[in-house]
Amino acid sequence: MALKTVGQYYDSLRQMSPTAYILGEKVTNVIDHPLIKGQVAAVAQTYELAQDSEYKQRLVAESKLIGSEVNRFVKLYESVDDLLVKVKTLKFLSQRIATCYMRCTGMDALNAAGVVTYEVDRKYDTNYHERLLKYLKYVQENDLAVWSGVTDVKGDRSLRPSAQADPDMYLHIVDKTKDGIIVRGAKAHQSGSLCAHQGLILPTREMRESDRDYAVCFALPSDAKGVIHVYGRGTLEDRAMEGIDLGNVEFSKFCPLVIFDNVFVPWDRVFLCGEYEFAGQLVRTFGDYHRHSHGGCKSGVGDVLIGAAAAIAEYNGVANASHINAKLVEMIKTCQTMYGCSLAASVEAKKSNSGVYLVDGVLANTSKLYKGKEYHEVSRLMIEIAGGLAADLPSDKDLHNPEIGHFIEKYLKGIANVPTEYRMRMFRLIEKLAFESRDIVSNIHGGGSPEAHRITLLRDTDLEAKKKLAKRLAGIK
Amino acid sequence: MALKTVGQYYDSLRQMSPTAYILGEKVTNVIDHPLIKGQVAAVAQTYELAQDSEYKQRLVAESKLIGSEVNRFVKLYESVDDLLVKVKTLKFLSQRIATCYMRCTGMDALNAAGVVTYEVDRKYDTNYHERLLKYLKYVQENDLAVWSGVTDVKGDRSLRPSAQADPDMYLHIVDKTKDGIIVRGAKAHQSGSLCAHQGLILPTREMRESDRDYAVCFALPSDAKGVIHVYGRGTLEDRAMEGIDLGNVEFSKFCPLVIFDNVFVPWDRVFLCGEYEFAGQLVRTFGDYHRHSHGGCKSGVGDVLIGAAAAIAEYNGVANASHINAKLVEMIKTCQTMYGCSLAASVEAKKSNSGVYLVDGVLANTSKLYKGKEYHEVSRLMIEIAGGLAADLPSDKDLHNPEIGHFIEKYLKGIANVPTEYRMRMFRLIEKLAFESRDIVSNIHGGGSPEAHRITLLRDTDLEAKKKLAKRLAGIK
Amino acid sequence: MALKTVGQYYDSLRQMSPTAYILGEKVTNVIDHPLIKGQVAAVAQTYELAQDSEYKQRLVAESKLIGSEVNRFVKLYESVDDLLVKVKTLKFLSQRIATCYMRCTGMDALNAAGVVTYEVDRKYDTNYHERLLKYLKYVQENDLAVWSGVTDVKGDRSLRPSAQADPDMYLHIVDKTKDGIIVRGAKAHQSGSLCAHQGLILPTREMRESDRDYAVCFALPSDAKGVIHVYGRGTLEDRAMEGIDLGNVEFSKFCPLVIFDNVFVPWDRVFLCGEYEFAGQLVRTFGDYHRHSHGGCKSGVGDVLIGAAAAIAEYNGVANASHINAKLVEMIKTCQTMYGCSLAASVEAKKSNSGVYLVDGVLANTSKLYKGKEYHEVSRLMIEIAGGLAADLPSDKDLHNPEIGHFIEKYLKGIANVPTEYRMRMFRLIEKLAFESRDIVSNIHGGGSPEAHRITLLRDTDLEAKKKLAKRLAGIK
Amino acid sequence: MALKTVGQYYDSLRQMSPTAYILGEKVTNVIDHPLIKGQVAAVAQTYELAQDSEYKQRLVAESKLIGSEVNRFVKLYESVDDLLVKVKTLKFLSQRIATCYMRCTGMDALNAAGVVTYEVDRKYDTNYHERLLKYLKYVQENDLAVWSGVTDVKGDRSLRPSAQADPDMYLHIVDKTKDGIIVRGAKAHQSGSLCAHQGLILPTREMRESDRDYAVCFALPSDAKGVIHVYGRGTLEDRAMEGIDLGNVEFSKFCPLVIFDNVFVPWDRVFLCGEYEFAGQLVRTFGDYHRHSHGGCKSGVGDVLIGAAAAIAEYNGVANASHINAKLVEMIKTCQTMYGCSLAASVEAKKSNSGVYLVDGVLANTSKLYKGKEYHEVSRLMIEIAGGLAADLPSDKDLHNPEIGHFIEKYLKGIANVPTEYRMRMFRLIEKLAFESRDIVSNIHGGGSPEAHRITLLRDTDLEAKKKLAKRLAGIK
């Protein structure tokens, strides 16, 4: 059973019992909750399309580890081609979902751990890499969805983990027993932790010796004892609660705060435990992978923004205006840039000692910088093309109201051959794409904040070599 | 009674009975509705501060028309100084409200009508200007709030008003009687029409002879028979419905679609009626005034964005990071640009034949271009500074939940001396500022769309004179 | 003789004998040198137009100091109106010259000294202000052109003046006698020092107690003993040397390095002498004034760029292309922004204790930020509109060559009714505007570098007040 | 002799006798002319490095056509890998030359002709493709440098070739004989036509039936009878003429206007002759290839700009300033974007019917758009980092003047351990990089103008497919 069906995916989630709070209430049947089910549906697509004969090739590959087909979301990057396919597949999925399907976080975390556990073992003669491969085998055999817990809540950001007033502002080991470790802390922005079977937890920054207890990496089931998922509220929730005016009629996203209240993790799920000098490499490797992912993913969503803008321009009767075309070109340019730089980061990948391929950090972070800044402008251009109704469209309830429905029908009509309902639907989609806070903020801060990308660009660029080029040309010996 | 108290403002609204639909339901006590009251409170500030000894000077001026003090929102622009004060007052108010107080739309429309009715009378010997001044006297004496209805729903935008499949896609005269006119059509995005006593309706574009019936300008009470206000839904409505997690705890905005279902307007409230060649001048004059307004208004809101970004940086412990400062500088730059260009458009104002001062169109539209584009980046920078919690902060209900409240309190803490609640409030404000669709879309499309500003820049710039400068310098005779 | 004629200006320069080196050679009749005369011609315009009945009002104002008319370039800013006129006059002149006429540097320096000497006297009971006014009287009565020496060569920029390996990297007092002071050092980028009668020398940065000897302000004639002007070479010098292919056929710019080799300055020309805590205020005040100047000046040059772009588009046959119009709009937008923000900085000016008006620092620096960055894009847009011949137009010598001249005439023709020569002249002007290094670099670094403007924006903005606005709206007590 | 040595390259050029005019004079020993030799030296690098054991692999590949090693500049793109290597090799060369080595134009033209001649033959049963391969064999066997003539002078750009007042504004066939064709016209901006042995001439735009005679593609030696090269003058020529203050001490660029004065071309060198419907495909294919080239080439030059900026920051003593780092990051980001998108355009390449690989047009044009706009900002950032001496550095002649040389040495010193001469050299290089008109304008217009790239983006993007994505998500059937 290395590939779950959609039904098996849903069933397997139903068999779990995570502790979850949504808007102040403890919720049991969590995956059917209106604020959750949209993302479960998105993740479900990664299972469904893997068994669709037309799309299977994009999502499925052979695993050497278990000797059978597995979903790419649980596979190691074993070649440049794996990385190229990753970008293209993420783009393909995003074009169909236009929000988050979450599984790339686990995929990138598994690979980062694959690279770094190997290095730790080389230095300390530990056996983290073997443990990780064993764990990965389990994940592959059961086709599990994995989220990755990286971002700690951080408290006072001017202080290191061990210097915080409250030692729990970064997740850390509070005890070790013969069977495993006890951890405490909280991870923020955990995209879809309630749609996944397992979490893989990484440190969020480099650590020094004094932060030793914070240098920890481990895996655990989403419903492990002591793990509490608290839903983080976003914009447009009322639409999901009402089930109308959704914009994106099937898919959505949520990001809980996940609290670790003295959680036990058995040793065979611990992949780093105090080797503080590897914490930075682990999160940086994850970061590079995840910024690489975003270039695929968000250029796919970008195609939907472009399509929505082009469609509404048509519905409004301005499809051929030269300024509309000029704006579409700007949108295409930015989306292609994100995609292109992620492809290039794949081409320039290098094999690590572990055998897992590392993307080019400069190109991967360059891709993500566009997503953080210029892509926000893509969204603005979509609004500029669409016009003011993106702000204040009357509700479907008004359209269906017996007294005023005919007015809405009449006055919100665009060009002759397009029903008012279509135009309203397109405006709703545009509203969703432009104003869903979880998506917009993720563009900026997902996979690390722009300042982190800038630091990476500078750190990974060989400035001295470039200075030498200049000096030689200037005739400086 | 040329200056209403706040109480009188509320009372006077309660005495009106507009026809209003909100999310599919007919609502009667409209100004107390949770989705409406935030903007009523904002408009109320324009009354309250006008009677506050500290701020009165900013909001009140002498009217020659009625020989007593009036609120500046119902006064004509009779000097460069009036226009400078306008920009500064709008900025001042926006700093305190951080969303829309709506009255500038009526002020700008009254002044545009003031300019153009005079010209129409000169050509046709009509008496629109006298009617308008009489109406203005009534407005001043009763200190009325006036909204302006400009933007028609437009149908197929490639077709002129008279060429639409449905002739009602632009508001037009359907009948004339001895007592007045009957109009039909709909105006979209009518900021706060339900917080105002009166509406002043203008054409939305230039007209040709065939569009004669669409060249109409008139005033009417918000509860005139046949006028239907349909609430346009925006993001974050659930917060207002629940009364928590509001972000901006007092003020908000809404924009109905206003339908004119065969509405009667008496002749003494009609200020243009078929003189089609003046329709363009009327809407362009309004547009220039309103883009001028935005430079004041949105630089004031921008100060709140800057303040919120600076406050959250402090709460997060990164107030002194150089990259934070660099981002704050970018935010300041754009806000000062909008403000500066609106001040400059005042300085370069010219007196029209009517005596009302016209702002410089190029500078006013330049100001607005920044609001449409670069100001969107200001909002993004605020999010970039704030960090990911702008996306997915748990609710106040979680904070107050007996089981998990202490976790929220603990894990959402920032620096030591700031309560978690303050930090959560600041993130909520940031969320509201960044994701309130009515505000964001208004930045782009309010007072006309960016493409309209660009056209104005080109039309109002004397390119031939500039070519001559170049030719002379190049030695071309 | 408070207003010199052009002839008197040239004569008065000829009577001076500055020490000048140009491309390694000592030059005597300096103002007729082909690399110098273009800027002398530009400065001469400030004399010529002051006596032209049509333009006189822009350039001449009454001086209270000497009770007669003076050129505005030697007048104090005694009102908001003086500052508004300054911006407009600089714009007007630049539209006619399209490069630098240099006198604003002296004007801004005189005013900055006017403000600060008053403050120094208040603290130390010195009589610098009186000296300065006496000096100004002399300048006004003789209508002298004054350059300002601000930018020191700076050596290692990470070290303060007094900490440099070579103490002369910032100009400083090396001796004091009963008659005056002796100074040593060098000032870089001294726009047109050889076109002016006098120099007014200011410190380039704030100073601490250890830098006391560097806190010095004084005036001296351009040909004072020990002052050496070394021409700094720019692009396109060969054109000036050959006298063809000039682009701008009359005017150009140059910026010497001015060396002070133990120069004596008598006490009555010394305006600061060791009062180190005022050095910063002096250069900051100058900086704000000069950034304010640039908004006028460069928006005027910008009009020439816009005109040249529009003219060449016409000559190329693409005047009506929508993308050309879109680019012209972007150019107009940026130029108007610089102009508008400088006007606004005038409107928001405050009277200093000395009676001289101070511009608003935030708005003046905002204006200059656009010149440093977005204005570079204006130049690029001009090239984008013009097309490739801006790079590699054959010379006039080819046009006049008997063998190939007819080919040049034939193949460089654009639209039918424009002579090839006109098109070539316009391309040459565009080349000059886009590639004259002294102008382009001055856009970025003139009046201080962009980083200095950014620091000013942050320092002059009351962030705490803005934080309070945000807190109040968020409901934080 | 499939790989020429440098000596052979120089010798072979000396054996040619092109007709050349430089600044109005007919020049015979053209390759030693100071305005020409810098680019000959650049082209010579492509021969020298091809025989350098360290670098050979980058420049040399096996040709199936002649069964031996050839220089990649004369090889067809026979795989994705060929295209990836192309980008990397161009970057490598540009890092060492920092201006133009010209041979990519011929390479891209040969490949474009390779693709399109095949299609023409398929339709018309002509034998252009065979002729081309025969010609290519000749080029490979003799390792010839080939320039490509694409850009016609165009006259009135609003008119098609056949509608121009002067029929010669686009190069065209004026006669056909049994031996060949006679052509007349002129091609502008012919980078390095005098450093190459052969020219390959292409149409510059799509053609219609009336333009049939303009649809012509052919090859000829640079010194063919009737071909006249007229040097186009650029900035900084005086430096080359004097041989000092060069900046880039070895390499430079020039772009003649090449006139075809009734030039005869034999049939075996004619590759398109009237098949007008293929003219557009030919130039578009060339355009895509050449924009792809630029991403490699200019990211290499960009590395020199970054290196120069980093070096001068060090020399100035500000290497560690946070704002310098922030600017370097922006520079890196843009250069990596150009490089990344060109790599990606290789990865997404498709095999044409001819077997030659076509790059992805959208990604190749996206790459070039950054070069046209954002790369101009990279140059500005370099100036911003460098400071004002980029504008007006005294000449080497001043440095070596016995009277003032010691002052220059003293006052232009930066940090302690760097000689003044080094700092001056670096400023000169920066001046060259920022102000060499041929390079800067080529960034914008080389390989087609930005508007052409934008049109390509729109034409090559499947908007309908993207609209479908949006409609499906919005629930529109």
Side-chain angles (χ1 to χ4, degrees), chain C residues 21 233 245 327 403 451, chain D residues 21 233 245 327 403 451:
Chain C
Y21 287 83
R233 80 182 310 182
D245 295 333
K327 284 166 195 131
E403 290 152 28
E451 216 55 36
Chain D
Y21 287 83
R233 79 183 310 184
D245 296 332
K327 283 165 196 133
E403 290 153 29
E451 216 55 36

Side-chain angles (χ1 to χ4, degrees), chain B residues 247-447:
Chain B
N248 187 329
V249 296
E250 237 180 305
F251 307 118
S252 66
K253 177 178 187 172
F254 69 95
C255 305
L257 171 71
V258 180
I259 295 162
F260 294 76
D261 184 26
N262 297 319
V263 175
F264 168 77
V265 183
W267 283 115
D268 62 350
R269 290 291 186 262
V270 176
F271 311 123
L272 189 77
C273 186
E275 297 82 0
Y276 63 88
E277 72 273 39
F278 289 96
Q281 189 188 348
L282 189 46
V283 68
R284 283 196 303 269
T285 305
F286 169 77
D288 287 352
Y289 281 141
H290 206 50
R291 292 152 201 176
H292 177 253
S293 292
H294 274 274
C297 158
K298 294 295 177 166
S299 64
V301 179
D303 282 341
V304 179
L305 273 79
I306 295 164
I312 203 71
E314 181 194 321
Y315 292 0
N316 289 347
V318 292
N320 297 319
S322 66
H323 70 91
I324 298 288
N325 281 340
K327 284 167 196 132
L328 289 171
V329 166
E330 286 305 305
M331 296 172 79
I332 295 167
K333 174 188 168 192
T334 296
C335 294
Q336 288 291 319
T337 301
M338 300 188 297
Y339 178 58
C341 290
S342 278
L343 285 183
S346 312
V347 169
E348 301 271 86
K350 300 274 178 295
K351 193 174 184 170
S352 72
N353 294 320
S354 68
V356 177
Y357 273 69
L358 294 164
V359 294
D360 183 90
V362 173
L363 284 162
N365 280 274
T366 295
S367 173
K368 181 63 172 49
L369 277 172
Y370 286 93
K371 201 190 133 204
K373 183 170 176 185
E374 288 79 1
Y375 190 63
H376 201 64
E377 169 70 5
V378 171
S379 162
R380 195 199 63 77
L381 284 165
M382 177 181 64
I383 303 174
E384 186 173 337
I385 290 173
L389 284 174
D392 52 22
L393 193 71
S395 168
D396 281 357
K397 293 178 197 162
D398 295 303
L399 180 64
H400 298 124
N401 176 294
E403 288 153 29
I404 60 163
H406 66 287
F407 284 130
I408 302 300
E409 178 79 31
K410 173 186 174 80
Y411 285 118
L412 296 184
K413 186 97 170 70
I415 56 169
N417 59 344
V418 170
T420 298
E421 187 208 328
Y422 286 13
R423 191 165 174 248
M424 290 181 73
R425 281 181 175 275
M426 195 54 72
F427 269 116
R428 281 280 167 245
L429 176 63
I430 288 168
E431 180 192 44
K432 178 75 176 177
L433 293 169
F435 294 112
E436 170 51 64
S437 57
R438 270 84 58 118
D439 286 314
I440 304 298
V441 177
S442 155
N443 293 340
I444 300 170
H445 291 289

Side-chain angles (χ1 to χ4, degrees), chain C residues 10 21 84 94 118 174 218 298 411:
Chain C
Y10 273 98
Y21 287 83
L84 285 169
S94 289
Y118 191 91
V174 291
F218 59 88
K298 295 294 177 165
Y411 285 118

Side-chain angles (χ1 to χ4, degrees), chain A residues 21 24 157 166 168 189 232-234 239 242 245 316 327 372 380 383 392-393 398 401 403 410 445 451, chain B residues 21 24 157 166 168 189 232-234 242 245 316 327 372 380 383 392-393 398 401 403 410 445 451:
Chain A
Y21 288 82
R157 293 183 190 195
D166 178 345
D168 302 339
H189 323 305
R233 79 182 311 182
R239 315 299 173 82
E242 299 169 15
D245 295 333
N316 290 345
K327 285 167 195 129
R380 195 199 64 78
I383 304 174
D392 51 23
L393 193 71
D398 296 303
N401 176 295
E403 289 152 29
K410 171 186 175 81
H445 290 289
E451 217 53 37
Chain B
Y21 286 81
R157 295 185 188 193
D166 177 344
D168 303 339
H189 323 306
R233 80 183 309 183
E242 299 169 15
D245 295 333
N316 289 347
K327 284 167 196 132
R380 195 199 63 77
I383 303 174
D392 52 22
L393 193 71
D398 295 303
N401 176 294
E403 288 153 29
K410 173 186 174 80
H445 291 289
E451 217 53 37

Side-chain angles (χ1 to χ4, degrees), chain C residues 21 24 157 166 168 189 232-234 242 245 316 327 372 380 383 392-393 398 401 403 410 445 451, chain D residues 21 24 157 166 168 189 232-233 239 242 245 316 327 372 380 383 392-393 398 401 403 410 445 451:
Chain C
Y21 287 83
R157 296 186 188 192
D166 179 344
D168 303 338
H189 324 304
R233 80 182 310 182
E242 300 169 13
D245 295 333
N316 290 346
K327 284 166 195 131
R380 195 197 65 76
I383 304 173
D392 51 23
L393 193 72
D398 295 303
N401 177 295
E403 290 152 28
K410 172 186 175 81
H445 290 290
E451 216 55 36
Chain D
Y21 287 83
R157 294 183 190 195
D166 178 345
D168 302 340
H189 325 303
R233 79 183 310 184
R239 316 299 174 81
E242 301 169 13
D245 296 332
N316 289 346
K327 283 165 196 133
R380 196 199 62 77
I383 304 173
D392 51 22
L393 194 71
D398 295 302
N401 177 293
E403 290 153 29
K410 173 186 174 79
H445 290 290
E451 216 55 36

